[in-house]
């Protein structure tokens, strides 16, 4: 084997080893940020995510975790911006759409939540959490529509049972306050 090919092969092996080691370090960073989020330490998770992203600004997984940290730290507008940017940069990922919908639902912006969830399920037709959240949004929209009809003199005999059923259906959702957020993005 010529020396040039041997060096080239050795360089490739070294590069792969560095990439594998870096991948392990990245996994540790993800685990650290995830653990901070699980333990309610959103400011620390945000700081760690920002440090990581200073070197790896395009990483969708850490950007997603950062957006969750912003959400958990009540930096709602920043979280919306972060999730929107993820949907623009990685439109194929359903999780940012789902989490954006969760924020919109909390704000009472049900049409925006619906649109975001429809994008999530369009991108991943097997994404059960997004379908569940979409069902919750549809139920809330139905309740609003029936209440509007009632307020405008609609037929009480038809509307009251529907409103009662939806109110009962929405009670557990009201206790949870919002649809379920997505798990971290896998890439």
């Amino acid at each position: 084997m010529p020396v040039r090919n041997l060096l080239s092969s050795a360089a490739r092996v070294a590069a792969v080893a560095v990439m594998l080691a870096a991948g392990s370090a990245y996994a540790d960073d993800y685990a650290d940020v995830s653990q901070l989020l699980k333990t309610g330490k959103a400011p620390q998770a945000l700081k760690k995510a920002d440090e990581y992203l200073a070197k790896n600004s395009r990483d969708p997984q850490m950007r997603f975790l950062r957006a969750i940290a912003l959400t958990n730290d009540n930096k709602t507008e920043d979280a919306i911006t972060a999730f929107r940017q993820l949907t623009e940069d990685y439109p194929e990922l359903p999780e940012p759409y789902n989490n954006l919908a969760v924020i919109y639902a909390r704000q009472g912006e049900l049409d925006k939540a619906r649109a975001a969830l429809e994008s999530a399920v369009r991108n991943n037709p097997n994404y059960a959490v997004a379908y569940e959240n979409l069902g919750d949004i549809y139920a809330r929209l139905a309740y609003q529509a029936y209440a509007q009809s009632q307020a405008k003199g609609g037929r009480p005999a038809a509307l009251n049972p529907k409103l009662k059923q939806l109110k009962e259906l929405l009670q557990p959702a009201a206790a949870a306050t919002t649809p379920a957020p997505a798990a971290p993005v896998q890439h």
Side-chain angles (χ1 to χ4, degrees):
M1 173 182 275
V3 172
R4 193 171 89 215
N5 285 343
L6 180 62
L7 290 175
S8 173
S9 294
R12 280 194 298 262
V13 169
V16 168
V18 167
M19 287 173 51
L20 289 173
S24 174
Y26 294 159
D28 289 344
D29 288 328
Y30 299 141
D32 290 348
V33 172
S34 293
Q35 184 59 35
L36 288 168
L37 288 169
K38 286 178 188 171
T39 58
K41 298 176 181 171
Q44 294 91 327
L46 186 58
K47 182 176 187 248
K48 185 140 183 87
D50 284 340
E51 289 169 0
Y52 175 93
L53 288 168
K55 299 175 202 141
N56 307 287
S57 63
R58 302 271 311 147
D59 185 308
Q61 176 74 19
M62 190 60 76
R63 288 173 58 192
F64 182 80
L65 291 172
R66 180 181 184 277
I68 291 172
L70 288 166
T71 303
N72 293 353
D73 202 22
N74 296 315
K75 296 179 179 177
T76 305
E77 291 308 313
D78 292 338
I80 289 171
T81 300
F83 284 126
R84 277 190 191 150
Q85 191 62 53
L86 274 167
T87 65
E88 290 172 18
D89 294 345
Y90 303 96
E92 70 281 4
L93 297 175
E95 295 89 352
Y97 290 104
N98 184 72
N99 283 58
L100 195 53
V102 170
I103 294 171
Y104 289 147
R106 284 183 184 151
Q107 294 177 332
E109 297 184 57
L110 300 182
D111 287 328
K112 284 184 177 181
R114 179 192 44 76
L117 288 165
E118 288 172 350
S119 293
V121 298
R122 188 173 34 256
N123 289 337
N124 183 349
N126 297 315
Y127 193 22
V129 170
Y131 277 110
E132 180 182 349
N133 289 341
L134 188 56
D136 290 342
I137 295 301
Y138 284 144
R140 289 173 65 183
L141 286 168
Y143 185 87
Q144 286 181 350
Y146 291 142
Q148 264 298 333
S149 178
Q150 187 178 49
K152 297 190 182 300
R155 304 170 305 149
L159 293 170
N160 288 340
K162 293 174 186 178
L163 285 166
K164 183 180 180 205
Q165 279 185 318
L166 283 170
K167 189 172 186 173
E168 289 172 10
L169 175 72
L170 294 171
Q171 286 304 323
T177 68
T178 60
V185 177
Q186 299 299 314
H187 65 114

